[in-house]
Amino acid sequence: MRNRPIRVVLGKVGLDLHDIGAKFVARSLSDAGMEVVYLGPFQTAASILDAVVSEDPDAIAISSISGEYKSYIPEILGELARQGLDPIVIVGGLVPDADRVELLAMGVAGVFGQGTAIEEVVRFLEEAIAARDARRAVK
């Protein structure tokens, strides 16, 4: 059983300024009982990773409608692995099917397009984090 709420770092990567959807997700996750650290737009891989180190989140949510996640996600995942960090990483926004397959193959845990019910995102995070915590407990 968790002794703290699920903690999520959420940011928009690159030059993608349109953050209405990300703000909606941040508020909705918060309303579902999660602690959300919303970094805002114009994030880099380094700023996301700095937040991960300082905030110790259970999950990282990357929002993008411009496709810039393709250049940031490999760097984020690589650095997480190098540092031995294991937050659940999800991507949301405008993600074509081909990119969805590529992101999942890279190690992104979930990809959520526009129109995804927020309840689906909440359920996914709860289940993925519970499974990760169970794996940690076995070690």
Side-chain angles (χ1 to χ4, degrees):
M1 179 116 184
R2 295 186 64 80
N3 59 4
R4 67 176 173 108
I6 290 173
R7 190 168 179 84
V8 180
V9 165
L10 189 155
K12 304 271 305 167
V13 293
L15 299 177
D16 185 356
L17 173 63
H18 304 284
D19 67 343
I20 292 171
K23 287 178 180 175
F24 170 78
V25 171
R27 177 60 186 247
S28 297
L29 294 178
S30 180
D31 288 348
M34 297 182 190
E35 292 181 359
V36 180
V37 178
Y38 179 55
L39 303 176
F42 308 122
Q43 299 303 309
T44 63
S47 65
I48 298 284
L49 291 161
D50 286 347
V52 169
V53 170
S54 67
E55 300 293 342
D56 189 28
D58 297 294
I60 302 169
I62 302 296
S63 174
S64 177
I65 63 170
S66 66
E68 290 185 83
Y69 52 80
K70 291 172 75 171
S71 60
Y72 290 94
I73 292 295
E75 184 177 350
I76 292 169
L77 292 174
E79 188 60 22
L80 290 172
R82 190 185 76 69
Q83 292 188 35
L85 302 171
D86 66 345
I88 303 301
V89 178
I90 64 172
V91 174
L94 285 175
V95 183
D97 289 340
D99 288 354
R100 177 183 309 267
V101 171
E102 185 178 338
L103 288 166
L104 293 171
M106 278 186 226
V108 169
V111 180
F112 302 93
Q114 287 185 317
T116 301
I118 196 64
E119 296 82 9
E120 183 179 339
V121 178
V122 168
R123 185 174 44 255
F124 179 88
L125 285 171
E126 290 172 342
E127 291 173 0
I129 291 163
R132 193 237 11 231
D133 289 352
R135 285 190 304 274
R136 283 179 174 173
V138 172
K139 290 182 179 180

